[in-house]
Amino acid sequence: MTVLVQTKNEQAAIGICLEGLSAFDEVIVVDSNSTDRTVEVALSHGAEVVNFTWNGEYPKKKQWQIEHLRTRHPWLLFIDADESPSAQLVDSIRNFVNSDPNASAAQLRLEYHFAGRALRRGHRVKKTVLLHRDRSRFEPIDDLNIPGMGELEGHYQPTCDGPVVTLRGLLRHDDVDPVRTWFDRHNRYSDWEAALRLQSERRRGNREQRSRQGRLFQRVPFKPLVFFVYSYVLRGGVLDGRAGFDYAFALASYYWQIGLKYRELRDGRTSGEVAT
């Protein structure tokens, strides 16, 4: 089983992440030209480090790894430096890759932490990040001229040639950086989402690669309000206390940003250009 850890200036988190991956026999840190001690810390924990420099074209970072890294195993687990699997998830992954020869990928459920607090209820996230390299891929969605994501594949699912299953256990996601970095990232992401929404051809391609839940949510009117009610009330985020409110409100604000930026682009009230 090969784990591919995605990093760029993650010196504060990478050590904790790698300590949680001791059950896997191949761990590769794929670093995007970090300027801090990320690489030094990764090497000190015994990880192999591969540098990735994006050339501004496809493939982007994850698909580049599928195409170019020579790994010991066909199953690849993509995780971020602020993520680590629970013991139950490690067992589930091991059993899955050894017993399901026809599957293409697996979804992992997140134990999401926001502003230092674990969220037990509210909006739940699944990520399709355990991929068989011969049966899964990140298709180009024609977003090279759209700001916001850069070298990263955006918020869409990989294309899989066979069944995708959901595993038991949780992938802990706990960002150690200040909460302002969450808002910085989502400000960029909303630029990307708004531009894709404006360009109908690109949006269709992107929508096809979203999860079923994501495709349904794309069609919902008044998304910020609907999401807040769904996450905080219907899904019980209120029971997570202040953290549940903060997360539901922050994500609702993210969807509001996307809508506002989309309308600005649509109405030509920005100097930025969107390629056609």
Side-chain angles (χ1 to χ4, degrees):
M1 179 70 226
T2 298
V3 184
L4 301 173
V5 186
Q6 316 301 300
T7 61
K8 183 174 183 178
N9 294 331
E10 296 285 358
Q11 67 177 20
I14 187 61
I16 298 172
C17 172
L18 293 174
E19 288 171 4
L21 300 176
S22 59
F24 301 101
D25 65 345
E26 184 174 41
V27 177
I28 303 174
V29 172
V30 185
D31 186 69
S32 297
N33 299 293
S34 290
T35 57
D36 63 2
R37 296 179 58 250
T38 297
V39 171
E40 178 185 343
V41 175
L43 291 172
S44 73
H45 281 76
E48 178 183 351
V49 178
V50 174
N51 190 68
F52 172 74
T53 300
W54 188 46
N55 63 5
E57 300 177 357
Y58 294 112
K60 292 192 174 186
K61 189 172 184 179
K62 290 181 182 178
Q63 183 60 27
W64 179 87
Q65 292 165 68
I66 293 174
E67 294 180 10
H68 294 284
L69 290 188
R70 307 182 87 177
T71 59
R72 299 177 197 166
H73 309 286
W75 282 102
L76 310 176
L77 173 60
F78 292 88
I79 69 170
D80 297 331
D82 54 7
E83 296 175 335
S84 59
S86 67
Q88 183 184 32
L89 180 56
V90 170
D91 289 340
S92 294
I93 291 172
R94 184 181 293 113
N95 292 335
F96 168 72
V97 300
N98 290 328
S99 64
D100 197 336
N102 298 315
S104 292
Q107 290 185 331
L108 310 186
R109 296 178 299 129
L110 292 192
E111 176 188 279
Y112 199 86
H113 292 238
F114 186 73
R117 295 285 301 277
L119 302 177
R120 308 298 183 190
R121 301 171 180 84
H123 175 59
R124 311 305 292 172
V125 176
K126 295 179 183 178
K127 298 174 67 175
T128 306
V129 291
L130 178 57
L131 309 179
H132 193 289
R133 67 180 311 142
D134 298 326
R135 305 172 197 153
S136 307
R137 60 203 169 275
F138 292 90
E139 301 279 8
I141 62 168
D142 198 18
D143 68 339
L144 294 180
N145 295 321
I146 292 178
M149 286 295 174
E151 69 179 23
L152 302 175
E153 282 84 2
H155 299 154
Y156 58 91
Q157 300 295 323
T159 298
C160 300
D161 297 329
V164 178
V165 304
T166 301
L167 301 186
R168 296 173 61 87
L170 297 173
L171 182 65
R172 178 187 174 97
H173 182 104
D174 188 3
D175 191 349
V176 299
D177 293 327
V179 71
R180 63 173 172 77
T181 63
W182 188 97
F183 290 101
D184 290 342
R185 288 194 304 274
H186 284 75
N187 186 40
R188 298 194 305 271
Y189 297 164
S190 61
D191 289 342
W192 181 82
E193 294 271 12
L196 279 182
R197 182 177 174 185
L198 182 65
Q199 299 183 34
S200 59
E201 285 190 24
R202 294 180 180 181
R203 183 181 176 221
R204 279 196 295 274
N206 175 253
R207 185 173 62 232
E208 290 169 0
Q209 291 166 285
R210 290 179 183 270
S211 65
R212 179 175 179 273
Q213 182 182 15
R215 293 195 300 271
L216 291 173
F217 189 63
Q218 279 286 91
R219 298 194 290 269
V220 172
F222 305 109
K223 289 183 181 65
L225 177 61
V226 169
F227 177 83
F228 183 82
V229 172
Y230 165 78
S231 180
Y232 191 61
V233 180
L234 299 181
R235 297 288 297 177
V238 62
L239 299 177
D240 281 327
R242 183 58 183 265
F245 174 85
D246 289 342
Y247 181 64
F249 189 82
L251 264 187
S253 299
Y254 171 60
Y255 295 123
W256 168 78
Q257 271 190 293
I258 294 170
L260 181 61
K261 291 179 178 181
Y262 161 74
R263 292 190 296 274
E264 182 180 60
L265 288 170
R266 180 196 63 193
D267 299 340
R269 293 181 286 105
T270 176
S271 59
E273 294 183 359
V274 179
T276 58

